[in-house]
Amino acid sequence: MMPTQLDDRVSSLADLKPAIDGCRRCPLFRNATQGVPGEGEVSAEVMLVGEQPGDQEDLQGHPFVGPAGRLLDRAMKEAALDRARTFVTNAVKHFKFQPRGKRRIHQKPDAGEIQACRWWLDQELDLVDPSLVIALGATAARALMGKVVTISKVRGQFIELQESRRLLVTIHPSYLLRLRGEADKQREYDRFVQDLARAAGELKRPAA
Ligand code: URA
């Protein structure tokens, strides 16, 4: 059982980093180098939510700066979704991994870790107040919808999260990195860009 925390609610994005570094809601802080909060514009209309920091993100302290992040950047550019105008974060703020020799092998966060970290995701949502949230993959979708979801069943639909906030679920860019065949890779990458372009298109529409 983790020790009970004081209320570590924050009042600005700048306060997130020290607060997350002090978080003891789940055991993931023990092996991670540091907590990795979301980054971007406080006024961003779009928030992209990934799973958890990877190896590079854990070392550098910034979200999506490793291989998956580079692929995300490329896809966002093609989709005309400007990263500088978005807020990019993760469902879980500490890297979960298993050491194997010199390597650190990514491990999926479990239900308890996802739930514990909702505290931080909720604060980011409150501070940024995006009208559109993009869940990158199953962990993000689960964190945001509060239940296990099958990506193929919900992908590409705009789902109402609350008044004035919708969710679009798509794949995680790491999925593309794991695909082997070039044709599959290209097809799935194109679908990913299409999903992001749909999100970008929604933003251009005047508010209803
Ligand atoms: N994968 C994620 O889900 N988030 C990151 O920040 C990096 C890789």
Side-chain angles (χ1 to χ4, degrees):
M1 212 29 194
M2 293 293 114
T4 322
Q5 328 251 320
L6 296 173
D7 184 353
D8 48 3
R9 193 174 300 277
V10 297
S11 51
S12 77
L13 292 179
D15 294 337
L16 278 169
K17 170 75 177 152
I20 290 173
D21 279 339
C23 182
R24 301 291 181 264
R25 285 183 175 77
C26 85
L28 295 184
F29 74 93
R30 291 208 182 104
N31 296 328
T33 308
Q34 56 190 315
V36 180
E39 287 181 357
E41 289 294 314
V42 71
S43 58
E45 274 181 89
V46 186
M47 181 182 287
L48 289 101
V49 183
E51 182 189 78
Q52 61 167 339
D55 182 72
Q56 284 302 310
E57 290 77 14
D58 170 76
L59 296 172
Q60 296 181 40
H62 303 289
F64 280 106
V65 290
R70 286 193 288 278
L71 193 55
L72 177 63
D73 281 346
R74 196 178 118 206
M76 285 175 75
K77 214 173 241 166
E78 271 185 51
L81 194 58
D82 188 357
R83 181 157 171 175
R85 292 179 56 199
T86 62
F87 188 86
V88 177
T89 191
N90 284 299
V92 169
K93 312 299 190 209
H94 284 101
F95 181 32
K96 182 178 182 182
F97 62 93
Q98 191 110 78
R100 196 173 299 159
K102 283 188 184 160
R103 296 183 59 206
R104 303 191 298 169
I105 309 298
H106 159 276
Q107 287 204 299
K108 253 191 187 320
D110 65 27
E113 291 151 357
I114 294 168
Q115 179 54 35
C117 226
R118 260 304 300 226
W119 171 256
W120 300 113
L121 186 56
D122 281 342
Q123 292 200 61
E124 291 174 327
L125 286 164
D126 285 350
L127 289 166
V128 177
D129 194 19
S131 56
L132 182 63
V133 182
I134 302 176
L136 302 169
T139 298
R142 180 177 186 171
L144 289 153
M145 295 176 75
K147 60 180 183 187
V148 177
V149 284
T150 307
I151 297 292
S152 57
K153 289 204 179 131
V154 290
R155 182 173 187 176
Q157 302 164 24
F158 287 99
I159 300 162
E160 184 133 327
L161 278 182
Q162 62 180 61
E163 210 188 323
S164 311
R165 182 172 301 155
R166 293 190 299 163
L167 172 69
L168 183 72
V169 178
T170 183
I171 52 137
H172 192 286
S174 294
Y175 164 70
L176 301 171
L177 295 172
R178 289 194 300 271
L179 288 175
R180 284 288 142 245
E182 275 316 305
D184 282 356
K185 249 189 169 85
Q186 188 60 52
R187 190 192 56 242
E188 287 303 313
Y189 174 77
D190 290 345
R191 277 190 75 195
F192 182 48
V193 172
Q194 271 169 31
D195 286 344
L196 298 179
R198 281 196 69 207
E202 275 302 292
L203 296 178
K204 292 197 190 99
R205 289 187 350 171

